[in-house]
Amino acid sequence: MDTLSLYLLCGVLSCAVTAGAVPLLRRTLGRFLLDRPGGLKRHAQAVPCVGGCAVLLGLAVGLIFIRLTTAFPTGTLHSLRGILLGAGLIFILGLADDLRKPQGVPVPVKLAVQAAAAGLLLCYGVRINLFDCAYLSYPLTFLWVTGITNAFNLLDISDGLCVSQAAVCALGLGLIALPSEFIYVNFCACALLGACLGFWPYNHRLRGKVFLGDSGSTLLGFVLAALAMGTGYSEHSNLGFLAPLLILAVPLFDTGFVALVRLAQGKNPLRGSNDHAALRLRKIGGDKRQILWLFIGAGLFFNLLAFALTQVQICVAAAVLLLAAALLLAAGIFLSRIRMKP
């Protein structure tokens, strides 16, 4: 079987396992993992948050199947083990947070465990490779991993929003990595994309609805952060190394925007409030589904910009980055003018 067919098979298998696991997990674990309404949570009744369990199961089965049927290049499995071990640690942290709702796990504990998961990536050679000096590379890797992990957690505020962005980012990472020798990125991105597509419909149901939970949203963010560090971006453009910022532009923008708004108002940026981009758009009459597709469209657009960034010369690449920055700045200014109730 050719490699492209294996990529497709990996994604389809992950999708099928995740989709099949959700109803079973909802019946067996749903009563223990419940997200109850209250505070900023506006859903009408308690909803099982077992989506993370299903996504992890689909991701693992897809990758194990490929491992048993494919001869991976030397060193590939070493990196993949680091990603899966770190993802498992992040999943356990998120699961503990879901079980302790509404209080959750204290923020210092969360950051410590996320730092430990980033440390596992470093031990297995998955890190930001911009600098040969470990004193620069290691702190940047910690910041990147914890930042993206929490960005997806913060984005999980509306049906389908987090999982759809994860699917878009996994698709972008997979396509950009596809011609390269980083085969574990290709397969892991395909498996993650399939798992996201398998879970996504359950996040929209009126009956039998299931949430990702913190275990799912942080798992998605961690895996994507790790995969973004495993691809070569600068074969054709000296600015290609900035492509991950565009691939993950939507969750990064939402997190950055929320943090700046909260700091400007003298609020703790780590404490939840109703100032996310999606909630502001709903304030001015946006429909949930319209906002979802707007975010998906924005994610796909910035992924196209990321691909262009890896293919063009430095002058054009600089223009691509300026266009992206201008669009994000304009979006931030527009959203900041929408007044939200405290």
Side-chain angles (χ1 to χ4, degrees):
M1 188 178 293
D2 63 274
T3 306
L4 287 177
S5 298
L6 284 172
Y7 290 149
L8 180 61
L9 181 59
C10 179
V12 170
L13 181 60
S14 294
C15 180
V17 170
T18 299
V22 172
L24 178 62
L25 290 168
R26 190 179 191 279
R27 287 195 296 270
T28 55
L29 299 180
R31 54 185 167 175
F32 305 108
L33 291 165
L34 287 173
D35 193 332
R36 303 182 187 279
L40 297 173
K41 300 176 184 292
R42 302 297 176 86
H43 45 281
Q45 58 188 5
V47 176
C49 48
V50 297
C53 303
V55 168
L56 179 63
L57 185 62
L59 178 66
V61 169
L63 291 176
I64 290 170
F65 172 80
I66 289 299
R67 168 64 186 94
L68 297 176
T69 57
T70 306
F72 281 85
T74 303
T76 296
L77 287 177
H78 185 71
S79 300
L80 191 55
R81 286 190 194 103
I83 293 175
L84 291 178
L85 285 172
L89 187 58
I90 290 294
F91 171 78
I92 292 170
L93 171 65
L95 197 61
D97 206 38
D98 290 331
L99 287 169
R100 288 173 55 88
K101 288 182 182 298
Q103 294 84 7
V105 175
V107 171
V109 176
K110 285 185 180 180
L111 294 176
V113 176
Q114 289 169 5
L120 279 172
L121 292 179
L122 290 170
C123 290
Y124 282 84
V126 181
R127 63 183 179 89
I128 292 176
N129 293 304
L130 294 178
F131 311 101
D132 293 329
C133 176
Y135 292 109
L136 292 175
S137 180
Y138 288 5
L140 280 177
T141 299
F142 279 106
L143 288 173
W144 174 256
V145 172
T146 56
I148 298 299
T149 300
N150 288 298
F152 274 88
N153 187 218
L154 290 172
L155 193 64
D156 192 23
I157 55 169
S158 183
D159 294 345
L161 195 57
C162 178
V163 70
S164 64
Q165 280 305 307
V168 168
C169 295
L171 177 64
L173 283 167
L175 291 177
I176 289 175
L178 197 58
S180 76
E181 70 277 11
F182 301 96
I183 195 168
Y184 77 89
V185 175
N186 304 338
F187 277 118
C188 198
C190 288
L192 188 66
L193 174 60
C196 288
L197 295 178
F199 167 75
W200 193 351
Y202 292 98
N203 208 199
H204 291 281
R205 288 187 172 186
L206 294 178
R207 297 184 62 184
K209 183 191 290 288
V210 173
F211 286 165
L212 269 174
D214 285 0
S215 60
S217 59
T218 53
L219 171 69
L220 294 176
F222 177 84
V223 175
L224 288 167
L227 294 182
M229 297 187 291
T231 299
Y233 300 99
S234 301
E235 294 179 9
H236 305 289
S237 170
N238 290 331
L239 294 177
F241 69 93
L242 295 173
L245 295 176
L246 297 181
I247 294 172
L248 296 154
V250 172
L252 282 173
F253 167 78
D254 186 66
T255 300
F257 174 78
V258 167
L260 288 174
V261 168
R262 291 177 186 174
L263 287 171
Q265 296 174 347
K267 298 178 180 178
N268 183 349
L270 299 177
R271 178 167 291 181
S273 58
N274 64 343
D275 42 21
H276 289 268
L279 299 180
R280 286 173 179 265
L281 291 173
R282 288 188 65 185
K283 171 76 178 195
I284 58 174
D287 176 77
K288 268 189 178 182
R289 194 168 294 275
Q290 292 173 338
I291 295 169
L292 175 64
W293 285 107
L294 175 64
F295 272 64
I296 292 172
L300 290 171
F301 176 75
F302 279 103
N303 271 267
L304 286 174
L305 291 184
F307 179 76
L309 191 66
T310 64
Q311 302 298 312
V312 297
Q313 296 302 313
I314 190 166
C315 292
V316 181
V320 169
L321 289 172
L322 286 174
L323 172 62
L327 290 172
L328 292 172
L329 179 61
I333 292 172
F334 170 75
L335 291 168
S336 67
R337 292 177 176 173
I338 301 172
R339 301 300 176 191
M340 303 293 289
K341 292 182 180 179

